[in-house]
Amino acid sequence: MPVILFAVFVLVPIAEIVIIIQIGRLIGPWWTAGLLLLSAIVGSWLLGREGRRTWQAFREAVAAGRVPTREVADGALVILGAALMITPGFLSDAVGVLCLLPPTRGLLRRLLTTIAGRRLVARVSGTQRVRARRGAGQRYEDPRAHSEADPRIIEGEVEP
């Protein structure tokens, strides 16, 4: 996880600066600034358009009695994509467009769902290994639970 944070907070901004400088040398500083401003405007417009579509799909899913998992994931990707497009930089704009356009957003949603599912399975499998090590006949206690007893619980036996 620290490597990912390092990449996001150090390497990505450095890459953005290098790309902006290179594009500025190629087309000029004012055209570069204009492109960055235009991408922020387009990002804001796409946020409004795709945000409304996602919100409508969310409302329809709830009205139909479905759990709106797909719609919530789409909403998160739309917000992330708009934030990336509004942020100055061409690299972030490219990723933002991928999050905002419906076909690529669907691919990203499936990819993120797969990754999250694998992490969840790994976490559950780890808990099951802890249970298996405790042995048969022993009561399983979650190692993350508090070790102190709850003072509101009175231990004892119930007789009919």
Coordinates of all heavy atoms in Angstrom, one line a residue, residues 1-94:
M1 N 0.8 -1.2 0.0 CA 0.0 0.0 0.0 C 0.9 1.3 0.0 O 0.5 2.2 -0.7 CB -0.9 0.0 1.2 CG -1.9 1.1 1.2 SD -3.0 1.0 -0.2 CE -4.6 1.0 0.5
P2 N 2.0 1.3 0.7 CA 2.8 2.5 0.7 C 3.3 2.8 -0.7 O 3.5 4.0 -1.0 CB 3.9 2.2 1.7 CG 3.4 1.2 2.6 CD 2.5 0.4 1.8
V3 N 3.6 1.8 -1.5 CA 4.1 2.0 -2.8 C 3.0 2.7 -3.7 O 3.3 3.6 -4.5 CB 4.6 0.7 -3.5 CG1 4.9 0.9 -4.9 CG2 5.7 0.1 -2.7
I4 N 1.8 2.3 -3.5 CA 0.7 2.9 -4.3 C 0.5 4.3 -3.9 O 0.4 5.2 -4.7 CB -0.6 2.1 -4.1 CG1 -0.4 0.7 -4.7 CG2 -1.8 2.8 -4.7 CD1 -1.6 -0.3 -4.3
L5 N 0.6 4.6 -2.6 CA 0.4 6.0 -2.1 C 1.6 6.9 -2.6 O 1.4 8.0 -3.0 CB 0.4 6.0 -0.6 CG -0.9 5.5 0.0 CD1 -0.8 5.5 1.5 CD2 -2.1 6.3 -0.4
F6 N 2.8 6.3 -2.6 CA 3.9 7.0 -3.2 C 3.7 7.4 -4.7 O 4.0 8.5 -5.1 CB 5.2 6.2 -3.0 CG 6.4 6.9 -3.6 CD1 7.1 7.9 -2.9 CD2 7.0 6.5 -4.8 CE1 8.2 8.5 -3.4 CE2 8.1 7.1 -5.3 CZ 8.7 8.1 -4.6
A7 N 3.2 6.4 -5.4 CA 3.0 6.6 -6.8 C 1.9 7.7 -7.0 O 2.1 8.6 -7.9 CB 2.6 5.3 -7.5
V8 N 0.9 7.6 -6.3 CA -0.3 8.6 -6.5 C 0.1 10.0 -6.1 O -0.2 10.9 -6.8 CB -1.5 8.1 -5.7 CG1 -2.6 9.2 -5.6 CG2 -2.1 6.8 -6.3
F9 N 0.8 10.1 -5.0 CA 1.1 11.5 -4.5 C 2.4 12.1 -4.9 O 2.6 13.3 -4.8 CB 1.0 11.5 -2.9 CG -0.4 11.3 -2.4 CD1 -0.8 10.2 -1.8 CD2 -1.3 12.3 -2.6 CE1 -2.1 10.0 -1.3 CE2 -2.6 12.2 -2.2 CZ -3.0 11.0 -1.5
V10 N 3.3 11.3 -5.5 CA 4.6 11.8 -5.9 C 4.9 11.6 -7.4 O 5.1 12.6 -8.1 CB 5.8 11.2 -5.1 CG1 7.1 11.6 -5.5 CG2 5.6 11.5 -3.6
L11 N 4.8 10.4 -7.8 CA 5.1 10.1 -9.2 C 4.1 10.6 -10.2 O 4.5 11.1 -11.3 CB 5.3 8.6 -9.4 CG 6.4 7.9 -8.6 CD1 6.5 6.4 -8.9 CD2 7.8 8.6 -8.9
V12 N 2.8 10.5 -9.9 CA 1.8 11.0 -10.8 C 1.9 12.5 -11.0 O 1.9 13.0 -12.2 CB 0.4 10.5 -10.4 CG1 -0.7 11.2 -11.2 CG2 0.2 9.0 -10.5
P13 N 2.0 13.3 -9.9 CA 2.1 14.8 -10.2 C 3.4 15.1 -11.0 O 3.4 16.0 -11.8 CB 2.2 15.4 -8.7 CG 1.5 14.4 -7.9 CD 1.8 13.0 -8.5
I14 N 4.5 14.4 -10.7 CA 5.7 14.7 -11.5 C 5.5 14.4 -13.0 O 5.8 15.1 -13.8 CB 6.9 13.9 -10.9 CG1 7.3 14.4 -9.6 CG2 8.1 13.9 -11.9 CD1 8.3 13.6 -8.8
A15 N 4.8 13.3 -13.2 CA 4.5 12.9 -14.6 C 3.6 14.0 -15.3 O 3.8 14.3 -16.4 CB 3.8 11.5 -14.7
E16 N 2.6 14.4 -14.5 CA 1.7 15.5 -15.0 C 2.5 16.7 -15.4 O 2.3 17.3 -16.4 CB 0.6 15.8 -14.0 CG -0.4 14.8 -13.7 CD -1.5 14.7 -14.8 OE1 -1.3 15.3 -15.9 OE2 -2.5 14.2 -14.5
I17 N 3.4 17.1 -14.5 CA 4.2 18.4 -14.8 C 5.0 18.2 -16.0 O 5.1 19.1 -16.9 CB 5.1 18.7 -13.6 CG1 4.2 19.2 -12.4 CG2 6.1 19.8 -13.9 CD1 4.9 19.3 -11.1
V18 N 5.7 17.0 -16.2 CA 6.5 16.7 -17.3 C 5.7 16.8 -18.6 O 6.1 17.4 -19.6 CB 7.2 15.4 -17.2 CG1 7.9 15.0 -18.5 CG2 8.3 15.4 -16.1
I19 N 4.5 16.2 -18.6 CA 3.6 16.2 -19.8 C 3.2 17.6 -20.1 O 3.2 18.0 -21.3 CB 2.4 15.2 -19.6 CG1 2.9 13.8 -19.5 CG2 1.4 15.4 -20.7 CD1 1.9 12.8 -19.0
I20 N 2.8 18.3 -19.1 CA 2.3 19.7 -19.4 C 3.5 20.6 -20.0 O 3.3 21.3 -20.9 CB 1.8 20.4 -18.1 CG1 0.5 19.7 -17.7 CG2 1.6 21.9 -18.2 CD1 0.0 20.1 -16.3
I21 N 4.7 20.4 -19.5 CA 5.8 21.1 -20.0 C 6.1 20.7 -21.5 O 6.3 21.6 -22.3 CB 7.1 20.9 -19.1 CG1 6.9 21.6 -17.8 CG2 8.3 21.4 -19.8 CD1 8.0 21.3 -16.8
Q22 N 6.0 19.4 -21.7 CA 6.3 19.0 -23.1 C 5.2 19.5 -24.1 O 5.5 19.9 -25.2 CB 6.4 17.4 -23.1 CG 7.5 16.9 -22.4 CD 8.9 17.4 -22.9 OE1 9.1 17.5 -24.1 NE2 9.8 17.7 -22.0
I23 N 4.0 19.4 -23.6 CA 2.9 19.9 -24.5 C 3.0 21.4 -24.7 O 2.8 22.0 -25.7 CB 1.5 19.5 -24.0 CG1 1.3 18.0 -24.2 CG2 0.4 20.3 -24.7 CD1 0.1 17.4 -23.6
G24 N 3.4 22.1 -23.6 CA 3.6 23.6 -23.7 C 4.7 23.9 -24.6 O 4.6 24.9 -25.4
R25 N 5.8 23.2 -24.7 CA 6.9 23.4 -25.6 C 6.4 23.1 -27.1 O 6.8 23.8 -28.0 CB 8.1 22.5 -25.3 CG 8.8 22.9 -24.2 CD 10.0 22.0 -24.0 NE 10.8 22.4 -22.8 CZ 11.7 21.7 -22.2 NH1 12.0 20.5 -22.7 NH2 12.4 22.1 -21.2
L26 N 5.5 22.2 -27.2 CA 5.0 21.8 -28.5 C 4.0 22.8 -29.1 O 4.1 23.2 -30.3 CB 4.4 20.4 -28.5 CG 4.0 19.7 -29.8 CD1 5.3 19.5 -30.6 CD2 3.3 18.4 -29.5
I27 N 3.0 23.2 -28.3 CA 2.0 24.0 -28.9 C 2.0 25.4 -28.3 O 1.2 26.3 -28.7 CB 0.6 23.4 -28.7 CG1 0.2 23.2 -27.2 CG2 0.5 22.1 -29.4 CD1 -1.2 22.8 -26.9
G28 N 2.8 25.7 -27.3 CA 2.8 27.0 -26.6 C 2.1 27.0 -25.3 O 1.2 26.2 -25.1
P29 N 2.5 27.9 -24.4 CA 2.0 27.9 -23.1 C 0.5 28.3 -23.0 O -0.3 27.8 -22.2 CB 2.8 28.9 -22.3 CG 3.5 29.7 -23.3 CD 3.6 28.9 -24.5
W30 N 0.1 29.2 -23.9 CA -1.3 29.7 -23.8 C -2.3 28.7 -24.3 O -3.4 28.5 -23.8 CB -1.5 31.0 -24.6 CG -0.8 32.1 -23.8 CD1 0.4 32.8 -24.3 CD2 -1.1 32.7 -22.6 NE1 0.8 33.7 -23.3 CE2 -0.1 33.7 -22.3 CE3 -2.1 32.5 -21.7 CZ2 -0.2 34.4 -21.1 CZ3 -2.2 33.2 -20.5 CH2 -1.2 34.2 -20.2
W31 N -1.9 28.0 -25.4 CA -2.7 26.9 -25.9 C -2.8 25.7 -24.9 O -3.8 25.1 -24.8 CB -2.2 26.4 -27.3 CG -2.4 27.3 -28.4 CD1 -1.5 28.1 -29.0 CD2 -3.7 27.6 -29.0 NE1 -2.1 28.9 -30.0 CE2 -3.5 28.6 -30.0 CE3 -5.0 27.2 -28.8 CZ2 -4.5 29.1 -30.8 CZ3 -6.0 27.7 -29.6 CH2 -5.8 28.6 -30.5
T32 N -1.7 25.5 -24.2 CA -1.7 24.4 -23.2 C -2.6 24.8 -22.1 O -3.5 24.0 -21.6 CB -0.3 24.2 -22.7 OG1 0.6 23.9 -23.7 CG2 -0.2 23.1 -21.6
A33 N -2.6 26.0 -21.6 CA -3.5 26.5 -20.6 C -4.9 26.4 -21.0 O -5.8 26.0 -20.3 CB -3.1 27.9 -20.1
G34 N -5.1 26.8 -22.3 CA -6.5 26.7 -22.9 C -7.0 25.3 -22.9 O -8.2 25.0 -22.6
L35 N -6.2 24.3 -23.3 CA -6.6 22.9 -23.3 C -6.9 22.4 -21.9 O -7.9 21.7 -21.7 CB -5.5 22.1 -23.9 CG -5.4 22.0 -25.4 CD1 -4.2 21.2 -25.8 CD2 -6.7 21.4 -26.0
L36 N -6.1 22.8 -20.9 CA -6.4 22.4 -19.5 C -7.7 23.0 -19.0 O -8.5 22.4 -18.4 CB -5.2 22.9 -18.6 CG -3.9 22.1 -18.8 CD1 -2.8 22.7 -18.0 CD2 -4.1 20.6 -18.4
L37 N -8.0 24.3 -19.4 CA -9.2 24.9 -19.0 C -10.4 24.2 -19.7 O -11.4 23.9 -19.1 CB -9.2 26.4 -19.4 CG -10.4 27.2 -19.0 CD1 -10.7 27.2 -17.5 CD2 -10.3 28.6 -19.5
L38 N -10.2 23.9 -21.0 CA -11.3 23.2 -21.8 C -11.6 21.9 -21.2 O -12.8 21.5 -21.1 CB -10.9 23.1 -23.2 CG -11.9 22.4 -24.2 CD1 -13.2 23.2 -24.3 CD2 -11.3 22.2 -25.5
S39 N -10.6 21.1 -20.8 CA -10.8 19.8 -20.2 C -11.6 19.9 -18.9 O -12.4 19.1 -18.6 CB -9.5 19.1 -20.0 OG -8.7 19.6 -18.9
A40 N -11.3 21.0 -18.1 CA -12.1 21.2 -16.9 C -13.5 21.5 -17.2 O -14.4 21.0 -16.5 CB -11.4 22.3 -16.0
I41 N -13.8 22.3 -18.2 CA -15.1 22.6 -18.6 C -15.9 21.4 -19.1 O -17.0 21.1 -18.7 CB -15.2 23.7 -19.6 CG1 -14.7 25.0 -19.0 CG2 -16.5 23.9 -20.2 CD1 -14.4 26.1 -20.0
V42 N -15.2 20.6 -19.9 CA -15.8 19.3 -20.4 C -16.1 18.4 -19.3 O -17.1 17.7 -19.2 CB -14.9 18.7 -21.5 CG1 -15.4 17.3 -21.9 CG2 -14.9 19.6 -22.8
G43 N -15.1 18.3 -18.3 CA -15.3 17.4 -17.2 C -16.5 17.8 -16.3 O -17.3 17.0 -15.9
S44 N -16.7 19.1 -16.2 CA -17.9 19.6 -15.4 C -19.2 19.3 -16.2 O -20.2 18.8 -15.6 CB -17.8 21.1 -15.2 OG -16.7 21.4 -14.5
W45 N -19.2 19.4 -17.5 CA -20.3 19.1 -18.3 C -20.7 17.6 -18.2 O -21.8 17.2 -18.0 CB -20.1 19.6 -19.7 CG -21.2 19.2 -20.6 CD1 -22.5 19.8 -20.7 CD2 -21.2 18.1 -21.6 NE1 -23.2 19.1 -21.7 CE2 -22.5 18.1 -22.2 CE3 -20.3 17.2 -22.0 CZ2 -22.8 17.2 -23.2 CZ3 -20.6 16.3 -22.9 CH2 -21.9 16.3 -23.5
L46 N -19.6 16.8 -18.4 CA -19.8 15.3 -18.3 C -20.3 14.9 -16.9 O -21.1 14.0 -16.8 CB -18.5 14.6 -18.7 CG -18.2 14.5 -20.1 CD1 -16.8 13.9 -20.4 CD2 -19.3 13.6 -20.9
L47 N -19.8 15.6 -15.9 CA -20.3 15.3 -14.5 C -21.8 15.5 -14.4 O -22.5 14.6 -13.9 CB -19.6 16.1 -13.5 CG -20.1 16.0 -12.1 CD1 -20.0 14.6 -11.5 CD2 -19.5 17.1 -11.2
G48 N -22.3 16.6 -15.0 CA -23.7 16.9 -14.9 C -24.5 15.9 -15.7 O -25.5 15.3 -15.3
R49 N -24.0 15.6 -17.0 CA -24.8 14.6 -17.8 C -24.8 13.2 -17.3 O -25.8 12.6 -17.1 CB -24.2 14.7 -19.2 CG -25.0 13.9 -20.2 CD -24.3 13.8 -21.6 NE -23.4 12.7 -21.5 CZ -22.7 12.3 -22.6 NH1 -22.8 12.9 -23.7 NH2 -22.0 11.2 -22.5
E50 N -23.6 12.7 -17.0 CA -23.5 11.3 -16.5 C -24.0 11.2 -15.1 O -24.5 10.1 -14.7 CB -22.1 10.8 -16.6 CG -21.6 10.7 -18.1 CD -22.5 9.8 -18.9 OE1 -22.9 8.7 -18.4 OE2 -22.8 10.2 -20.1
G51 N -23.9 12.2 -14.3 CA -24.4 12.2 -12.9 C -25.9 12.1 -12.9 O -26.5 11.3 -12.1
R52 N -26.6 12.8 -13.8 CA -28.0 12.7 -13.9 C -28.4 11.3 -14.4 O -29.4 10.7 -13.8 CB -28.6 13.8 -14.9 CG -28.7 15.1 -14.3 CD -29.5 16.1 -15.2 NE -28.8 16.4 -16.4 CZ -27.8 17.3 -16.5 NH1 -27.4 18.0 -15.5 NH2 -27.2 17.5 -17.7
R53 N -27.7 10.8 -15.4 CA -28.1 9.4 -15.8 C -27.9 8.4 -14.7 O -28.7 7.5 -14.5 CB -27.2 9.0 -17.0 CG -27.5 9.7 -18.3 CD -26.6 9.2 -19.4 NE -27.0 9.8 -20.6 CZ -26.3 9.5 -21.8 NH1 -25.3 8.7 -21.8 NH2 -26.7 10.2 -22.9
T54 N -26.8 8.5 -14.0 CA -26.5 7.5 -12.9 C -27.5 7.7 -11.8 O -28.0 6.7 -11.3 CB -25.1 7.8 -12.4 OG1 -24.2 7.6 -13.5 CG2 -24.7 6.8 -11.3
W55 N -27.9 8.9 -11.5 CA -28.9 9.1 -10.4 C -30.2 8.6 -10.8 O -30.9 7.9 -10.0 CB -29.0 10.6 -10.1 CG -30.0 10.9 -9.0 CD1 -31.2 11.6 -9.2 CD2 -29.9 10.6 -7.7 NE1 -31.9 11.7 -8.0 CE2 -31.1 11.0 -7.0 CE3 -29.0 9.9 -6.9 CZ2 -31.4 10.9 -5.7 CZ3 -29.3 9.7 -5.5 CH2 -30.4 10.2 -5.0
Q56 N -30.6 8.7 -12.1 CA -31.9 8.2 -12.6 C -31.9 6.6 -12.5 O -32.8 6.0 -12.1 CB -32.1 8.6 -14.0 CG -33.5 8.2 -14.6 CD -34.7 8.7 -13.8 OE1 -34.7 9.8 -13.3 NE2 -35.7 7.9 -13.7
A57 N -30.7 6.0 -12.9 CA -30.6 4.6 -12.8 C -30.7 4.1 -11.4 O -31.3 3.1 -11.1 CB -29.3 4.1 -13.5
F58 N -30.1 4.9 -10.5 CA -30.1 4.5 -9.1 C -31.6 4.5 -8.6 O -32.0 3.6 -7.9 CB -29.3 5.5 -8.3 CG -29.3 5.3 -6.8 CD1 -28.5 4.4 -6.2 CD2 -30.2 6.1 -6.0 CE1 -28.6 4.2 -4.8 CE2 -30.3 5.9 -4.6 CZ -29.4 5.0 -4.0
R59 N -32.3 5.6 -8.9 CA -33.7 5.7 -8.5 C -34.6 4.6 -9.1 O -35.4 4.0 -8.4 CB -34.3 7.1 -8.9 CG -33.6 8.2 -8.0 CD -34.1 9.6 -8.4 NE -35.5 9.6 -8.4 CZ -36.2 10.6 -9.0 NH1 -35.5 11.6 -9.6 NH2 -37.5 10.6 -9.0
E60 N -34.3 4.2 -10.3 CA -35.1 3.1 -10.9 C -34.8 1.8 -10.3 O -35.7 1.0 -10.1 CB -34.8 3.1 -12.4 CG -35.4 4.2 -13.2 CD -34.9 4.2 -14.7 OE1 -34.1 3.3 -15.1 OE2 -35.2 5.2 -15.4
A61 N -33.5 1.6 -9.9 CA -33.2 0.3 -9.2 C -33.9 0.2 -7.9 O -34.4 -0.8 -7.5 CB -31.7 0.2 -9.1
V62 N -33.9 1.3 -7.1 CA -34.5 1.3 -5.8 C -36.0 1.1 -6.0 O -36.7 0.4 -5.2 CB -34.2 2.6 -5.0 CG1 -35.0 2.8 -3.8 CG2 -32.7 2.7 -4.7
A63 N -36.6 1.8 -6.9 CA -38.1 1.7 -7.2 C -38.5 0.3 -7.6 O -39.5 -0.2 -7.2 CB -38.5 2.7 -8.2
A64 N -37.5 -0.4 -8.3 CA -37.8 -1.8 -8.7 C -37.5 -2.8 -7.6 O -37.7 -4.0 -7.7 CB -37.0 -2.1 -9.9
G65 N -37.0 -2.3 -6.4 CA -36.7 -3.2 -5.3 C -35.4 -3.9 -5.4 O -35.1 -4.9 -4.7
R66 N -34.5 -3.5 -6.3 CA -33.2 -4.1 -6.5 C -32.2 -3.3 -5.6 O -32.4 -2.1 -5.3 CB -32.7 -4.0 -7.9 CG -33.3 -4.9 -8.9 CD -32.6 -4.9 -10.2 NE -32.4 -3.6 -10.8 CZ -31.2 -2.9 -10.9 NH1 -30.1 -3.4 -10.4 NH2 -31.1 -1.7 -11.5
V67 N -31.2 -4.0 -5.2 CA -30.1 -3.3 -4.5 C -29.2 -2.6 -5.6 O -28.7 -3.3 -6.5 CB -29.2 -4.3 -3.7 CG1 -28.0 -3.6 -3.0 CG2 -30.0 -5.1 -2.7
P68 N -29.0 -1.3 -5.5 CA -28.4 -0.6 -6.6 C -26.9 -0.6 -6.5 O -26.2 0.4 -6.6 CB -28.9 0.8 -6.4 CG -29.1 0.9 -4.9 CD -29.6 -0.4 -4.5
T69 N -26.3 -1.8 -6.5 CA -24.8 -1.9 -6.4 C -24.1 -1.3 -7.6 O -23.1 -0.6 -7.5 CB -24.4 -3.3 -6.1 OG1 -25.0 -4.2 -7.1 CG2 -24.8 -3.8 -4.8
R70 N -24.6 -1.7 -8.8 CA -24.0 -1.2 -10.0 C -24.1 0.3 -10.1 O -23.2 1.0 -10.5 CB -24.7 -1.9 -11.2 CG -24.2 -1.5 -12.5 CD -24.9 -2.2 -13.7 NE -24.7 -1.5 -14.9 CZ -25.6 -0.7 -15.5 NH1 -26.8 -0.5 -15.0 NH2 -25.3 0.0 -16.6
E71 N -25.3 0.8 -9.7 CA -25.5 2.3 -9.8 C -24.6 3.0 -8.9 O -24.1 4.1 -9.2 CB -27.0 2.6 -9.6 CG -27.9 2.1 -10.7 CD -28.2 0.6 -10.7 OE1 -27.8 -0.1 -9.7 OE2 -28.8 0.0 -11.6
V72 N -24.4 2.5 -7.7 CA -23.5 3.1 -6.7 C -22.1 3.2 -7.2 O -21.4 4.2 -7.1 CB -23.6 2.4 -5.3 CG1 -22.6 2.9 -4.4 CG2 -25.0 2.7 -4.7
A73 N -21.7 2.0 -7.8 CA -20.3 2.0 -8.3 C -20.2 3.0 -9.5 O -19.1 3.7 -9.6 CB -20.0 0.6 -8.8
D74 N -21.2 3.0 -10.4 CA -21.1 4.0 -11.5 C -21.1 5.4 -10.9 O -20.3 6.3 -11.4 CB -22.3 3.9 -12.4 CG -22.2 2.7 -13.4 OD1 -21.1 2.2 -13.5 OD2 -23.1 2.4 -14.1
G75 N -21.9 5.7 -9.9 CA -21.8 7.1 -9.3 C -20.5 7.4 -8.7 O -20.0 8.6 -8.9
A76 N -19.8 6.5 -8.1 CA -18.5 6.7 -7.6 C -17.5 7.0 -8.7 O -16.6 7.9 -8.6 CB -18.0 5.6 -6.7
L77 N -17.6 6.2 -9.8 CA -16.7 6.4 -10.9 C -16.9 7.7 -11.6 O -16.0 8.4 -12.1 CB -16.8 5.2 -11.9 CG -16.1 3.9 -11.4 CD1 -16.5 2.8 -12.3 CD2 -14.6 4.1 -11.3
V78 N -18.2 8.1 -11.7 CA -18.5 9.4 -12.3 C -17.9 10.6 -11.5 O -17.3 11.5 -12.0 CB -20.0 9.6 -12.5 CG1 -20.4 11.1 -12.8 CG2 -20.6 8.7 -13.6
I79 N -18.0 10.5 -10.2 CA -17.5 11.6 -9.3 C -16.0 11.6 -9.4 O -15.3 12.6 -9.6 CB -17.9 11.4 -7.9 CG1 -19.4 11.7 -7.8 CG2 -17.1 12.3 -6.9 CD1 -20.0 11.3 -6.4
L80 N -15.3 10.4 -9.4 CA -13.9 10.3 -9.5 C -13.4 10.8 -10.9 O -12.5 11.6 -11.0 CB -13.4 8.9 -9.4 CG -11.9 8.6 -9.6 CD1 -11.1 9.3 -8.6 CD2 -11.7 7.1 -9.6
G81 N -14.1 10.4 -12.0 CA -13.8 10.9 -13.3 C -13.9 12.4 -13.4 O -13.0 13.1 -14.0
A82 N -14.9 13.0 -12.9 CA -15.1 14.4 -13.0 C -14.0 15.2 -12.2 O -13.4 16.2 -12.6 CB -16.5 14.8 -12.5
A83 N -13.7 14.6 -11.0 CA -12.6 15.2 -10.2 C -11.3 15.2 -10.9 O -10.5 16.2 -10.9 CB -12.5 14.5 -8.8
L84 N -11.0 14.1 -11.6 CA -9.8 14.0 -12.3 C -9.7 14.9 -13.5 O -8.7 15.4 -13.9 CB -9.6 12.5 -12.8 CG -9.2 11.5 -11.7 CD1 -9.3 10.1 -12.2 CD2 -7.9 11.8 -11.1
M85 N -10.9 15.1 -14.2 CA -10.9 16.0 -15.3 C -10.8 17.5 -14.9 O -10.2 18.3 -15.7 CB -12.1 15.8 -16.2 CG -12.0 14.5 -17.0 SD -13.1 14.4 -18.4 CE -12.5 15.8 -19.4
I86 N -11.3 17.8 -13.8 CA -11.2 19.2 -13.3 C -9.8 19.5 -12.8 O -9.4 20.6 -12.9 CB -12.3 19.4 -12.2 CG1 -13.7 19.4 -12.9 CG2 -12.1 20.8 -11.6 CD1 -14.9 19.3 -12.0
T87 N -9.1 18.5 -12.3 CA -7.8 18.7 -11.9 C -6.9 18.9 -13.1 O -6.9 18.2 -14.1 CB -7.3 17.4 -11.1 OG1 -8.2 17.1 -10.1 CG2 -5.9 17.5 -10.6
P88 N -6.0 20.0 -13.0 CA -5.2 20.3 -14.1 C -4.2 19.1 -14.4 O -3.5 18.7 -13.5 CB -4.4 21.5 -13.7 CG -5.2 22.1 -12.6 CD -5.9 21.0 -11.9
G89 N -4.1 18.7 -15.7 CA -3.2 17.7 -16.1 C -3.8 16.8 -17.2 O -5.0 16.5 -17.1
F90 N -3.0 16.4 -18.1 CA -3.5 15.6 -19.2 C -3.6 14.1 -18.9 O -4.4 13.4 -19.4 CB -2.6 15.8 -20.4 CG -2.6 17.3 -20.9 CD1 -1.5 18.1 -20.7 CD2 -3.7 17.7 -21.6 CE1 -1.6 19.4 -21.2 CE2 -3.8 19.0 -22.0 CZ -2.7 19.9 -21.8
L91 N -2.7 13.6 -18.0 CA -2.8 12.2 -17.6 C -4.0 12.0 -16.8 O -4.8 11.0 -17.0 CB -1.5 11.9 -16.8 CG -1.3 10.5 -16.4 CD1 -1.2 9.6 -17.6 CD2 0.0 10.4 -15.5
S92 N -4.3 12.9 -15.8 CA -5.6 12.8 -15.1 C -6.8 12.9 -15.9 O -7.8 12.3 -15.7 CB -5.6 13.8 -13.9 OG -5.5 15.1 -14.4
D93 N -6.7 13.8 -17.0 CA -7.8 13.9 -17.9 C -8.1 12.6 -18.6 O -9.3 12.3 -18.8 CB -7.5 15.0 -18.9 CG -7.6 16.4 -18.3 OD1 -8.0 16.6 -17.2 OD2 -7.1 17.3 -19.0
A94 N -7.1 11.9 -19.0 CA -7.3 10.7 -19.8 C -8.0 9.6 -18.9 O -8.9 9.0 -19.3 CB -5.9 10.1 -20.3

